[in-house]
Amino acid sequence: LESIVIPNSITCIASNVFSFCSNLISVKLSERVVSIEEQAFSNCINLRNIELPESVINIKDYAFHECRSLSSISIPEGVTNIGEGAFYYCTGLKEITLPSSVSFIGEKAFMFCGVGDPENRPNQYYDFVAYTVKGSYASEYIENLGTELDEEDPPAPVDAYDYYDIV
């Protein structure tokens, strides 16, 4: 299974439903999906492309844990909850867009994102670019990861978002 299109009859991606699908590369979710449950795509190490529809509200704990081939993710406006470890150990994830609608981000949600091989970088827990709305919960979360607002222009401007570079 390398790619899948989720039909409109599905509103929830169940826990563990695609866990350990190591050949899965691409997923297209229906516009009716509202929740991605615990570990739904956990350990899909070759998953490169998933577009989250605007219908999504919840991304549960460890939903994308160890999706090491994801390089960017745009969380759509409307998502309120990003669970604990939701993108934990997504070592290839270098660019994250977080909307103003997010009101909760769990512990370790983005830990080890973008660091490549953590074994070679033992003291580095984050190395990604995040786009957030200034003053939002998400921007405060990013700031609390120890980041500073970078005054340079973002490499790919996103309207109404500030640029943070986590190093």
Side-chain angles (χ1 to χ4, degrees):
L1 180 67
E2 288 186 1
S3 96
I4 188 157
V5 176
I6 305 297
N8 284 335
S9 58
I10 305 296
T11 59
C12 177
I13 307 300
S15 295
N16 297 300
V17 70
F18 296 107
S19 277
F20 292 95
C21 286
S22 60
N23 293 326
L24 189 61
I25 295 170
S26 179
V27 176
K28 173 139 176 63
L29 299 176
S30 87
E31 291 295 327
R32 295 190 58 218
V33 170
V34 295
S35 187
I36 301 169
E37 297 296 306
E38 290 86 358
Q39 299 183 356
F41 295 97
S42 181
N43 289 283
C44 292
I45 59 173
N46 289 306
L47 182 63
R48 292 184 195 117
N49 182 27
I50 185 161
E51 194 170 314
L52 303 178
E54 291 185 14
S55 56
V56 173
I57 297 168
N58 289 308
I59 300 171
K60 300 280 183 93
D61 297 351
Y62 297 93
F64 294 96
H65 168 245
E66 289 206 45
C67 290
R68 297 176 182 205
S69 296
L70 275 179
S71 61
S72 69
I73 191 81
S74 183
I75 309 294
E77 191 67 44
V79 170
T80 59
N81 178 65
I82 299 173
E84 179 180 328
F87 294 92
Y88 183 81
Y89 227 85
C90 291
T91 56
L93 190 55
K94 288 289 207 180
E95 188 174 293
I96 302 166
T97 301
L98 297 165
S100 62
S101 59
V102 172
S103 59
F104 176 80
I105 300 175
E107 289 184 34
K108 303 179 203 166
F110 300 104
M111 186 172 255
F112 296 113
C113 285
V115 299
D117 182 1
E119 307 273 324
N120 293 332
R121 298 167 83 177
N123 295 321
Q124 187 151 8
Y125 301 107
Y126 308 97
D127 188 9
F128 60 87
V129 173
Y131 298 93
T132 66
V133 176
K134 188 173 185 171
S136 68
Y137 175 88
S139 72
E140 290 175 18
Y141 176 87
I142 295 297
E143 286 176 14
N144 287 333
L145 291 176
T147 65
E148 302 276 330
L149 182 62
D150 189 333
E151 299 298 332
E152 296 176 23
D153 290 332
V158 179
D159 290 335
Y161 283 73
D162 286 322
Y163 174 62
Y164 293 82
D165 191 7
I166 298 172
V167 290

